[in-house]
Amino acid sequence: MNRRPVCHPRLYGWGQLVVAFALCWQMVFLLVPGNADIRQWGTLTGSALLLTGLIVMKVSHRMGRDSAG
């Protein structure tokens, strides 16, 4: 009751998968020893993936063309 209904559950699921992958990506590059530049670019890429997944999840809440509901 505290959240809005998801209008496109498949799109929401893809967004969740992208967010999970982004968090794993950031963790892997956090633990990579060695060059700081590689760690920085890995974390930046993970952040961009995280933002993309959150945007996809937000878009899945939007109403479709059918305004009957």
Side-chain angles (χ1 to χ4, degrees):
M1 297 182 98
N2 290 336
R3 68 173 182 88
R4 297 182 322 185
V6 175
C7 297
H8 305 286
R10 186 168 291 192
L11 186 62
Y12 189 82
W14 277 107
Q16 285 183 328
L17 284 174
V18 171
V19 167
F21 181 74
L23 292 174
C24 291
W25 183 273
Q26 285 183 338
M27 194 63 180
V28 165
F29 277 94
L30 176 70
L31 298 175
V32 169
N35 195 352
D37 289 336
I38 294 173
R39 185 178 299 159
Q40 182 180 8
W41 282 107
T43 304
L44 183 64
T45 304
S47 297
L49 284 171
L50 183 65
L51 184 61
T52 301
L54 291 174
I55 289 171
V56 168
M57 289 170 65
K58 181 69 176 168
V59 167
S60 71
H61 285 285
R62 297 182 73 190
M63 291 300 221
R65 293 180 186 231
D66 185 19
S67 61

Short mmCIF file of all heavy atoms in Angstrom, two decimals:
data_model
loop_
_atom_site.label_atom_id
_atom_site.label_comp_id
_atom_site.label_asym_id
_atom_site.label_seq_id
_atom_site.Cartn_x
_atom_site.Cartn_y
_atom_site.Cartn_z
N MET A 1 0.81 -1.19 0.00
CA MET A 1 0.00 0.00 0.00
C MET A 1 0.86 1.26 0.00
O MET A 1 0.37 2.32 -0.33
CB MET A 1 -0.91 0.01 1.21
CG MET A 1 -1.91 -1.13 1.24
SD MET A 1 -2.97 -1.00 2.65
CE MET A 1 -4.37 -0.23 1.89
N ASN A 2 2.11 1.15 0.36
CA ASN A 2 2.96 2.33 0.46
C ASN A 2 3.69 2.66 -0.83
O ASN A 2 4.39 3.65 -0.89
CB ASN A 2 3.99 2.13 1.57
CG ASN A 2 3.35 2.15 2.93
OD1 ASN A 2 2.28 2.71 3.10
ND2 ASN A 2 3.99 1.53 3.89
N ARG A 3 3.57 1.82 -1.83
CA ARG A 3 4.28 2.10 -3.08
C ARG A 3 3.29 2.13 -4.23
O ARG A 3 2.22 1.54 -4.16
CB ARG A 3 5.38 1.08 -3.35
CG ARG A 3 4.86 -0.30 -3.64
CD ARG A 3 6.01 -1.21 -4.06
NE ARG A 3 5.51 -2.52 -4.40
CZ ARG A 3 5.09 -2.87 -5.59
NH1 ARG A 3 5.09 -2.00 -6.58
NH2 ARG A 3 4.65 -4.09 -5.83
N ARG A 4 3.68 2.78 -5.30
CA ARG A 4 2.84 2.85 -6.49
C ARG A 4 2.91 1.52 -7.22
O ARG A 4 3.93 0.84 -7.19
CB ARG A 4 3.32 3.96 -7.41
CG ARG A 4 3.22 5.31 -6.79
CD ARG A 4 3.64 6.39 -7.73
NE ARG A 4 4.78 5.98 -8.55
CZ ARG A 4 5.42 6.75 -9.39
NH1 ARG A 4 5.04 7.97 -9.54
NH2 ARG A 4 6.43 6.32 -10.09
N PRO A 5 1.86 1.15 -7.93
CA PRO A 5 1.91 -0.09 -8.70
C PRO A 5 2.86 0.04 -9.89
O PRO A 5 3.00 1.11 -10.47
CB PRO A 5 0.47 -0.30 -9.16
CG PRO A 5 -0.15 1.05 -9.11
CD PRO A 5 0.56 1.80 -8.02
N VAL A 6 3.48 -1.06 -10.24
CA VAL A 6 4.38 -1.09 -11.39
C VAL A 6 3.55 -1.39 -12.62
O VAL A 6 2.85 -2.40 -12.68
CB VAL A 6 5.47 -2.17 -11.19
CG1 VAL A 6 6.33 -2.29 -12.43
CG2 VAL A 6 6.31 -1.84 -9.98
N CYS A 7 3.61 -0.52 -13.61
CA CYS A 7 2.83 -0.69 -14.83
C CYS A 7 3.50 -1.62 -15.82
O CYS A 7 2.84 -2.27 -16.62
CB CYS A 7 2.58 0.66 -15.48
SG CYS A 7 1.62 1.77 -14.44
N HIS A 8 4.81 -1.69 -15.79
CA HIS A 8 5.57 -2.53 -16.71
C HIS A 8 6.53 -3.40 -15.90
O HIS A 8 7.70 -3.04 -15.71
CB HIS A 8 6.36 -1.66 -17.69
CG HIS A 8 5.51 -0.68 -18.43
ND1 HIS A 8 4.66 -1.06 -19.45
CD2 HIS A 8 5.35 0.66 -18.29
CE1 HIS A 8 4.04 0.00 -19.91
NE2 HIS A 8 4.44 1.06 -19.21
N PRO A 9 6.06 -4.56 -15.40
CA PRO A 9 6.90 -5.37 -14.51
C PRO A 9 8.16 -5.92 -15.17
O PRO A 9 9.18 -6.06 -14.51
CB PRO A 9 5.98 -6.49 -14.05
CG PRO A 9 4.80 -6.46 -14.92
CD PRO A 9 4.73 -5.12 -15.55
N ARG A 10 8.12 -6.21 -16.45
CA ARG A 10 9.31 -6.72 -17.12
C ARG A 10 10.40 -5.66 -17.18
O ARG A 10 11.58 -5.93 -16.93
CB ARG A 10 8.97 -7.20 -18.52
CG ARG A 10 10.15 -7.87 -19.21
CD ARG A 10 9.72 -8.58 -20.43
NE ARG A 10 8.90 -9.72 -20.01
CZ ARG A 10 8.55 -10.69 -20.81
NH1 ARG A 10 8.88 -10.66 -22.07
NH2 ARG A 10 7.83 -11.69 -20.37
N LEU A 11 10.01 -4.43 -17.47
CA LEU A 11 10.96 -3.32 -17.50
C LEU A 11 11.53 -3.06 -16.10
O LEU A 11 12.73 -2.80 -15.94
CB LEU A 11 10.28 -2.08 -18.04
CG LEU A 11 11.13 -0.85 -18.29
CD1 LEU A 11 12.19 -1.16 -19.35
CD2 LEU A 11 10.27 0.30 -18.74
N TYR A 12 10.68 -3.17 -15.08
CA TYR A 12 11.12 -2.99 -13.71
C TYR A 12 12.15 -4.07 -13.34
O TYR A 12 13.15 -3.79 -12.67
CB TYR A 12 9.92 -3.05 -12.77
CG TYR A 12 10.23 -2.67 -11.34
CD1 TYR A 12 10.30 -1.34 -10.97
CD2 TYR A 12 10.46 -3.64 -10.37
CE1 TYR A 12 10.58 -0.98 -9.67
CE2 TYR A 12 10.74 -3.29 -9.06
CZ TYR A 12 10.80 -1.96 -8.72
OH TYR A 12 11.09 -1.61 -7.44
N GLY A 13 11.90 -5.30 -13.77
CA GLY A 13 12.83 -6.39 -13.51
C GLY A 13 14.19 -6.16 -14.17
O GLY A 13 15.23 -6.43 -13.58
N TRP A 14 14.17 -5.66 -15.40
CA TRP A 14 15.43 -5.35 -16.07
C TRP A 14 16.18 -4.25 -15.32
O TRP A 14 17.40 -4.29 -15.20
CB TRP A 14 15.20 -4.94 -17.53
CG TRP A 14 15.05 -6.11 -18.44
CD1 TRP A 14 13.89 -6.55 -19.01
CD2 TRP A 14 16.08 -6.99 -18.87
NE1 TRP A 14 14.15 -7.65 -19.77
CE2 TRP A 14 15.48 -7.95 -19.71
CE3 TRP A 14 17.44 -7.07 -18.63
CZ2 TRP A 14 16.21 -8.97 -20.30
CZ3 TRP A 14 18.16 -8.09 -19.22
CH2 TRP A 14 17.55 -9.02 -20.04
N GLY A 15 15.45 -3.29 -14.82
CA GLY A 15 16.08 -2.23 -14.04
C GLY A 15 16.72 -2.77 -12.78
O GLY A 15 17.83 -2.37 -12.40
N GLN A 16 16.05 -3.71 -12.11
CA GLN A 16 16.61 -4.33 -10.92
C GLN A 16 17.88 -5.11 -11.25
O GLN A 16 18.85 -5.10 -10.48
CB GLN A 16 15.60 -5.25 -10.26
CG GLN A 16 14.52 -4.52 -9.51
CD GLN A 16 13.58 -5.48 -8.82
OE1 GLN A 16 13.32 -6.58 -9.29
NE2 GLN A 16 13.07 -5.06 -7.68
N LEU A 17 17.87 -5.81 -12.38
CA LEU A 17 19.07 -6.56 -12.78
C LEU A 17 20.24 -5.63 -13.06
O LEU A 17 21.39 -5.93 -12.69
CB LEU A 17 18.77 -7.42 -14.01
CG LEU A 17 17.96 -8.68 -13.75
CD1 LEU A 17 17.61 -9.35 -15.08
CD2 LEU A 17 18.73 -9.63 -12.87
N VAL A 18 19.97 -4.50 -13.71
CA VAL A 18 21.04 -3.54 -14.00
C VAL A 18 21.60 -2.97 -12.70
O VAL A 18 22.82 -2.81 -12.55
CB VAL A 18 20.54 -2.44 -14.95
CG1 VAL A 18 21.56 -1.32 -15.08
CG2 VAL A 18 20.22 -3.02 -16.31
N VAL A 19 20.74 -2.66 -11.75
CA VAL A 19 21.19 -2.13 -10.47
C VAL A 19 22.04 -3.17 -9.73
O VAL A 19 23.10 -2.84 -9.18
CB VAL A 19 19.99 -1.68 -9.60
CG1 VAL A 19 20.40 -1.43 -8.17
CG2 VAL A 19 19.36 -0.43 -10.19
N ALA A 20 21.60 -4.42 -9.72
CA ALA A 20 22.37 -5.47 -9.05
C ALA A 20 23.73 -5.66 -9.72
O ALA A 20 24.76 -5.81 -9.04
CB ALA A 20 21.58 -6.77 -9.08
N PHE A 21 23.75 -5.64 -11.06
CA PHE A 21 25.02 -5.77 -11.77
C PHE A 21 25.94 -4.59 -11.47
O PHE A 21 27.15 -4.77 -11.29
CB PHE A 21 24.76 -5.87 -13.28
CG PHE A 21 26.00 -6.03 -14.09
CD1 PHE A 21 26.68 -7.23 -14.12
CD2 PHE A 21 26.50 -4.96 -14.82
CE1 PHE A 21 27.84 -7.37 -14.86
CE2 PHE A 21 27.65 -5.09 -15.57
CZ PHE A 21 28.32 -6.31 -15.59
N ALA A 22 25.38 -3.40 -11.38
CA ALA A 22 26.18 -2.21 -11.09
C ALA A 22 26.81 -2.29 -9.70
O ALA A 22 27.98 -1.93 -9.51
CB ALA A 22 25.33 -0.95 -11.22
N LEU A 23 26.04 -2.76 -8.73
CA LEU A 23 26.59 -2.87 -7.38
C LEU A 23 27.70 -3.92 -7.33
O LEU A 23 28.72 -3.73 -6.65
CB LEU A 23 25.48 -3.20 -6.39
CG LEU A 23 24.46 -2.07 -6.17
CD1 LEU A 23 23.32 -2.56 -5.29
CD2 LEU A 23 25.12 -0.85 -5.58
N CYS A 24 27.51 -5.04 -8.03
CA CYS A 24 28.57 -6.05 -8.10
C CYS A 24 29.80 -5.49 -8.82
O CYS A 24 30.94 -5.76 -8.40
CB CYS A 24 28.06 -7.30 -8.81
SG CYS A 24 26.85 -8.22 -7.88
N TRP A 25 29.58 -4.76 -9.88
CA TRP A 25 30.67 -4.14 -10.65
C TRP A 25 31.49 -3.22 -9.76
O TRP A 25 32.73 -3.26 -9.77
CB TRP A 25 30.07 -3.37 -11.82
CG TRP A 25 31.05 -2.74 -12.75
CD1 TRP A 25 31.63 -1.52 -12.62
CD2 TRP A 25 31.58 -3.30 -13.96
NE1 TRP A 25 32.47 -1.27 -13.68
CE2 TRP A 25 32.45 -2.35 -14.51
CE3 TRP A 25 31.38 -4.51 -14.62
CZ2 TRP A 25 33.12 -2.57 -15.70
CZ3 TRP A 25 32.05 -4.72 -15.81
CH2 TRP A 25 32.92 -3.77 -16.33
N GLN A 26 30.81 -2.39 -8.97
CA GLN A 26 31.52 -1.47 -8.08
C GLN A 26 32.31 -2.24 -7.02
O GLN A 26 33.42 -1.85 -6.67
CB GLN A 26 30.54 -0.53 -7.42
CG GLN A 26 30.04 0.55 -8.33
CD GLN A 26 29.11 1.51 -7.62
OE1 GLN A 26 28.53 1.20 -6.60
NE2 GLN A 26 28.98 2.70 -8.18
N MET A 27 31.75 -3.32 -6.51
CA MET A 27 32.44 -4.10 -5.48
C MET A 27 33.69 -4.77 -6.04
O MET A 27 34.72 -4.80 -5.39
CB MET A 27 31.48 -5.14 -4.90
CG MET A 27 31.97 -5.73 -3.64
SD MET A 27 32.10 -4.42 -2.41
CE MET A 27 32.68 -5.34 -1.05
N VAL A 28 33.58 -5.30 -7.26
CA VAL A 28 34.75 -5.94 -7.88
C VAL A 28 35.87 -4.93 -8.07
O VAL A 28 37.02 -5.21 -7.76
CB VAL A 28 34.34 -6.59 -9.23
CG1 VAL A 28 35.56 -6.93 -10.07
CG2 VAL A 28 33.51 -7.83 -8.98
N PHE A 29 35.53 -3.75 -8.58
CA PHE A 29 36.58 -2.77 -8.81
C PHE A 29 37.06 -2.10 -7.53
O PHE A 29 38.12 -1.50 -7.51
CB PHE A 29 36.13 -1.72 -9.84
CG PHE A 29 36.30 -2.20 -11.24
CD1 PHE A 29 35.27 -2.80 -11.92
CD2 PHE A 29 37.52 -2.09 -11.87
CE1 PHE A 29 35.43 -3.26 -13.21
CE2 PHE A 29 37.71 -2.54 -13.17
CZ PHE A 29 36.65 -3.14 -13.83
N LEU A 30 36.30 -2.21 -6.47
CA LEU A 30 36.78 -1.74 -5.17
C LEU A 30 37.88 -2.66 -4.65
O LEU A 30 38.85 -2.21 -4.04
CB LEU A 30 35.62 -1.68 -4.17
CG LEU A 30 35.99 -1.28 -2.74
CD1 LEU A 30 36.40 0.19 -2.70
CD2 LEU A 30 34.83 -1.55 -1.81
N LEU A 31 37.72 -3.95 -4.92
CA LEU A 31 38.66 -4.93 -4.39
C LEU A 31 39.86 -5.20 -5.30
O LEU A 31 40.75 -5.96 -4.93
CB LEU A 31 37.93 -6.25 -4.11
CG LEU A 31 36.81 -6.15 -3.07
CD1 LEU A 31 36.07 -7.47 -2.98
CD2 LEU A 31 37.34 -5.73 -1.73
N VAL A 32 39.87 -4.61 -6.50
CA VAL A 32 40.97 -4.82 -7.44
C VAL A 32 42.21 -4.07 -6.94
O VAL A 32 42.18 -2.85 -6.82
CB VAL A 32 40.60 -4.34 -8.85
CG1 VAL A 32 41.82 -4.31 -9.76
CG2 VAL A 32 39.54 -5.21 -9.44
N PRO A 33 43.26 -4.81 -6.62
CA PRO A 33 44.49 -4.12 -6.23
C PRO A 33 45.24 -3.64 -7.47
O PRO A 33 45.09 -4.20 -8.55
CB PRO A 33 45.29 -5.19 -5.50
CG PRO A 33 44.81 -6.47 -6.08
CD PRO A 33 43.38 -6.25 -6.49
N GLY A 34 46.00 -2.63 -7.30
CA GLY A 34 46.81 -2.18 -8.43
C GLY A 34 46.58 -0.72 -8.75
O GLY A 34 46.51 0.12 -7.86
N ASN A 35 46.42 -0.46 -10.02
CA ASN A 35 46.36 0.89 -10.53
C ASN A 35 45.10 1.62 -10.03
O ASN A 35 43.99 1.12 -10.13
CB ASN A 35 46.36 0.85 -12.05
CG ASN A 35 46.65 2.19 -12.66
OD1 ASN A 35 46.70 3.21 -11.97
ND2 ASN A 35 46.84 2.20 -13.96
N ALA A 36 45.27 2.82 -9.52
CA ALA A 36 44.14 3.61 -9.03
C ALA A 36 43.26 4.10 -10.16
O ALA A 36 42.06 4.31 -9.96
CB ALA A 36 44.66 4.79 -8.21
N ASP A 37 43.83 4.27 -11.36
CA ASP A 37 43.01 4.73 -12.50
C ASP A 37 41.98 3.67 -12.89
O ASP A 37 40.84 4.00 -13.21
CB ASP A 37 43.90 5.04 -13.70
CG ASP A 37 44.72 6.30 -13.49
OD1 ASP A 37 44.30 7.15 -12.67
OD2 ASP A 37 45.78 6.42 -14.13
N ILE A 38 42.37 2.41 -12.85
CA ILE A 38 41.44 1.33 -13.18
C ILE A 38 40.31 1.29 -12.16
O ILE A 38 39.14 1.15 -12.51
CB ILE A 38 42.17 -0.02 -13.24
CG1 ILE A 38 43.15 -0.03 -14.42
CG2 ILE A 38 41.18 -1.17 -13.37
CD1 ILE A 38 44.03 -1.25 -14.45
N ARG A 39 40.66 1.44 -10.91
CA ARG A 39 39.64 1.44 -9.85
C ARG A 39 38.69 2.62 -10.01
O ARG A 39 37.48 2.49 -9.85
CB ARG A 39 40.33 1.50 -8.49
CG ARG A 39 39.35 1.39 -7.34
CD ARG A 39 40.06 1.40 -6.02
NE ARG A 39 40.98 0.28 -5.92
CZ ARG A 39 42.00 0.23 -5.09
NH1 ARG A 39 42.23 1.24 -4.29
NH2 ARG A 39 42.78 -0.81 -5.05
N GLN A 40 39.23 3.78 -10.36
CA GLN A 40 38.40 4.97 -10.53
C GLN A 40 37.43 4.81 -11.70
O GLN A 40 36.24 5.11 -11.58
CB GLN A 40 39.27 6.19 -10.74
CG GLN A 40 38.51 7.48 -10.87
CD GLN A 40 39.44 8.66 -11.09
OE1 GLN A 40 40.63 8.51 -11.28
NE2 GLN A 40 38.87 9.85 -11.06
N TRP A 41 37.90 4.33 -12.84
CA TRP A 41 37.03 4.16 -14.00
C TRP A 41 36.01 3.05 -13.77
O TRP A 41 34.88 3.14 -14.24
CB TRP A 41 37.85 3.89 -15.26
CG TRP A 41 38.45 5.15 -15.80
CD1 TRP A 41 39.75 5.53 -15.74
CD2 TRP A 41 37.75 6.23 -16.43
NE1 TRP A 41 39.91 6.77 -16.30
CE2 TRP A 41 38.70 7.21 -16.74
CE3 TRP A 41 36.42 6.44 -16.77
CZ2 TRP A 41 38.36 8.40 -17.37
CZ3 TRP A 41 36.08 7.63 -17.40
CH2 TRP A 41 37.05 8.59 -17.69
N GLY A 42 36.40 2.01 -13.06
CA GLY A 42 35.45 0.95 -12.74
C GLY A 42 34.33 1.44 -11.85
O GLY A 42 33.16 1.11 -12.05
N THR A 43 34.68 2.24 -10.86
CA THR A 43 33.66 2.78 -9.96
C THR A 43 32.76 3.78 -10.69
O THR A 43 31.55 3.80 -10.49
CB THR A 43 34.33 3.47 -8.77
OG1 THR A 43 35.19 2.53 -8.13
CG2 THR A 43 33.32 3.96 -7.77
N LEU A 44 33.34 4.59 -11.57
CA LEU A 44 32.55 5.54 -12.34
C LEU A 44 31.58 4.82 -13.27
O LEU A 44 30.41 5.20 -13.39
CB LEU A 44 33.47 6.46 -13.14
CG LEU A 44 32.80 7.56 -13.95
CD1 LEU A 44 32.08 8.54 -13.02
CD2 LEU A 44 33.82 8.28 -14.80
N THR A 45 32.04 3.75 -13.91
CA THR A 45 31.18 2.96 -14.78
C THR A 45 30.06 2.31 -13.98
O THR A 45 28.90 2.29 -14.42
CB THR A 45 32.01 1.89 -15.51
OG1 THR A 45 33.07 2.52 -16.22
CG2 THR A 45 31.15 1.10 -16.47
N GLY A 46 30.39 1.80 -12.80
CA GLY A 46 29.37 1.21 -11.94
C GLY A 46 28.33 2.22 -11.51
O GLY A 46 27.14 1.92 -11.44
N SER A 47 28.76 3.44 -11.25
CA SER A 47 27.82 4.50 -10.87
C SER A 47 26.89 4.86 -12.03
O SER A 47 25.69 5.10 -11.84
CB SER A 47 28.58 5.74 -10.42
OG SER A 47 29.33 5.46 -9.27
N ALA A 48 27.44 4.90 -13.24
CA ALA A 48 26.60 5.18 -14.42
C ALA A 48 25.59 4.06 -14.64
O ALA A 48 24.42 4.32 -14.96
CB ALA A 48 27.48 5.36 -15.65
N LEU A 49 26.01 2.81 -14.45
CA LEU A 49 25.09 1.69 -14.57
C LEU A 49 24.00 1.75 -13.50
O LEU A 49 22.83 1.45 -13.76
CB LEU A 49 25.84 0.37 -14.48
CG LEU A 49 26.63 -0.07 -15.70
CD1 LEU A 49 27.49 -1.27 -15.36
CD2 LEU A 49 25.68 -0.40 -16.84
N LEU A 50 24.39 2.12 -12.29
CA LEU A 50 23.43 2.23 -11.20
C LEU A 50 22.38 3.29 -11.51
O LEU A 50 21.17 3.07 -11.33
CB LEU A 50 24.16 2.57 -9.90
CG LEU A 50 23.33 2.66 -8.64
CD1 LEU A 50 22.74 1.31 -8.29
CD2 LEU A 50 24.18 3.16 -7.49
N LEU A 51 22.81 4.43 -11.99
CA LEU A 51 21.89 5.50 -12.36
C LEU A 51 20.97 5.06 -13.50
O LEU A 51 19.76 5.33 -13.48
CB LEU A 51 22.66 6.76 -12.75
CG LEU A 51 21.83 7.99 -13.07
CD1 LEU A 51 21.00 8.41 -11.86
CD2 LEU A 51 22.72 9.12 -13.52
N THR A 52 21.52 4.34 -14.47
CA THR A 52 20.70 3.84 -15.59
C THR A 52 19.63 2.88 -15.09
O THR A 52 18.47 2.97 -15.50
CB THR A 52 21.61 3.14 -16.62
OG1 THR A 52 22.58 4.07 -17.09
CG2 THR A 52 20.80 2.61 -17.78
N GLY A 53 20.01 1.97 -14.20
CA GLY A 53 19.03 1.03 -13.65
C GLY A 53 17.93 1.72 -12.87
O GLY A 53 16.76 1.36 -12.97
N LEU A 54 18.29 2.74 -12.09
CA LEU A 54 17.28 3.48 -11.33
C LEU A 54 16.34 4.25 -12.25
O LEU A 54 15.13 4.32 -11.99
CB LEU A 54 17.96 4.43 -10.36
CG LEU A 54 18.70 3.76 -9.20
CD1 LEU A 54 19.45 4.80 -8.38
CD2 LEU A 54 17.74 2.98 -8.33
N ILE A 55 16.87 4.78 -13.33
CA ILE A 55 16.02 5.48 -14.30
C ILE A 55 15.06 4.50 -14.97
O ILE A 55 13.88 4.80 -15.15
CB ILE A 55 16.88 6.24 -15.33
CG1 ILE A 55 17.55 7.43 -14.66
CG2 ILE A 55 16.04 6.69 -16.52
CD1 ILE A 55 18.59 8.12 -15.52
N VAL A 56 15.56 3.32 -15.34
CA VAL A 56 14.69 2.30 -15.95
C VAL A 56 13.59 1.88 -14.99
O VAL A 56 12.43 1.73 -15.37
CB VAL A 56 15.53 1.08 -16.40
CG1 VAL A 56 14.65 -0.09 -16.77
CG2 VAL A 56 16.42 1.46 -17.57
N MET A 57 13.93 1.73 -13.71
CA MET A 57 12.92 1.37 -12.72
C MET A 57 11.89 2.50 -12.57
O MET A 57 10.69 2.23 -12.40
CB MET A 57 13.58 1.06 -11.39
CG MET A 57 14.35 -0.25 -11.40
SD MET A 57 15.36 -0.51 -9.95
CE MET A 57 14.13 -0.63 -8.68
N LYS A 58 12.31 3.74 -12.61
CA LYS A 58 11.40 4.87 -12.50
C LYS A 58 10.47 4.94 -13.71
O LYS A 58 9.28 5.21 -13.56
CB LYS A 58 12.22 6.17 -12.37
CG LYS A 58 11.41 7.41 -12.24
CD LYS A 58 10.71 7.46 -10.92
CE LYS A 58 9.98 8.78 -10.78
NZ LYS A 58 9.07 8.78 -9.66
N VAL A 59 11.01 4.68 -14.90
CA VAL A 59 10.20 4.71 -16.12
C VAL A 59 9.13 3.62 -16.09
O VAL A 59 8.03 3.81 -16.62
CB VAL A 59 11.10 4.58 -17.37
CG1 VAL A 59 10.30 4.30 -18.62
CG2 VAL A 59 11.93 5.85 -17.54
N SER A 60 9.41 2.50 -15.44
CA SER A 60 8.45 1.40 -15.41
C SER A 60 7.21 1.75 -14.59
O SER A 60 6.18 1.08 -14.70
CB SER A 60 9.10 0.14 -14.85
OG SER A 60 9.35 0.28 -13.47
N HIS A 61 7.26 2.78 -13.78
CA HIS A 61 6.10 3.21 -13.00
C HIS A 61 5.16 4.12 -13.79
O HIS A 61 4.04 4.34 -13.37
CB HIS A 61 6.54 3.98 -11.74
CG HIS A 61 7.08 3.10 -10.67
ND1 HIS A 61 6.27 2.31 -9.90
CD2 HIS A 61 8.34 2.88 -10.25
CE1 HIS A 61 7.02 1.65 -9.03
NE2 HIS A 61 8.28 1.98 -9.23
N ARG A 62 5.62 4.64 -14.91
CA ARG A 62 4.80 5.57 -15.69
C ARG A 62 3.63 4.83 -16.30
O ARG A 62 3.73 3.68 -16.68
CB ARG A 62 5.63 6.23 -16.77
CG ARG A 62 6.74 7.07 -16.18
CD ARG A 62 7.50 7.75 -17.24
NE ARG A 62 6.68 8.84 -17.78
CZ ARG A 62 6.99 9.51 -18.86
NH1 ARG A 62 8.06 9.20 -19.54
NH2 ARG A 62 6.23 10.49 -19.27
N MET A 63 2.53 5.50 -16.43
CA MET A 63 1.34 4.92 -17.03
C MET A 63 1.53 4.76 -18.53
O MET A 63 2.20 5.57 -19.17
CB MET A 63 0.12 5.81 -16.77
CG MET A 63 -0.28 5.81 -15.35
SD MET A 63 -0.70 4.14 -14.85
CE MET A 63 -2.11 4.46 -13.87
N GLY A 64 0.93 3.74 -19.06
CA GLY A 64 0.98 3.50 -20.50
C GLY A 64 -0.02 4.37 -21.24
O GLY A 64 -0.57 5.33 -20.71
N ARG A 65 -0.28 4.02 -22.48
CA ARG A 65 -1.20 4.81 -23.30
C ARG A 65 -2.65 4.61 -22.87
O ARG A 65 -3.49 5.45 -23.10
CB ARG A 65 -1.03 4.44 -24.75
CG ARG A 65 0.31 4.86 -25.29
CD ARG A 65 0.43 4.47 -26.73
NE ARG A 65 1.78 4.76 -27.17
CZ ARG A 65 2.05 5.45 -28.26
NH1 ARG A 65 1.08 5.86 -29.02
NH2 ARG A 65 3.27 5.71 -28.59
N ASP A 66 -2.95 3.47 -22.30
CA ASP A 66 -4.32 3.18 -21.86
C ASP A 66 -4.61 3.94 -20.57
O ASP A 66 -4.07 3.59 -19.51
CB ASP A 66 -4.51 1.68 -21.68
CG ASP A 66 -5.95 1.35 -21.34
OD1 ASP A 66 -6.83 2.16 -21.58
OD2 ASP A 66 -6.15 0.24 -20.84
N SER A 67 -5.40 4.95 -20.62
CA SER A 67 -5.69 5.75 -19.44
C SER A 67 -6.97 5.31 -18.74
O SER A 67 -7.53 6.05 -17.94
CB SER A 67 -5.75 7.23 -19.79
OG SER A 67 -6.79 7.43 -20.74
N ALA A 68 -7.47 4.11 -19.04
CA ALA A 68 -8.71 3.63 -18.44
C ALA A 68 -8.50 3.29 -16.96
O ALA A 68 -9.43 3.32 -16.18
CB ALA A 68 -9.21 2.40 -19.18
N GLY A 69 -7.26 2.95 -16.55
CA GLY A 69 -7.00 2.55 -15.17
C GLY A 69 -6.63 3.69 -14.37
O GLY A 69 -6.62 4.25 -13.48
#
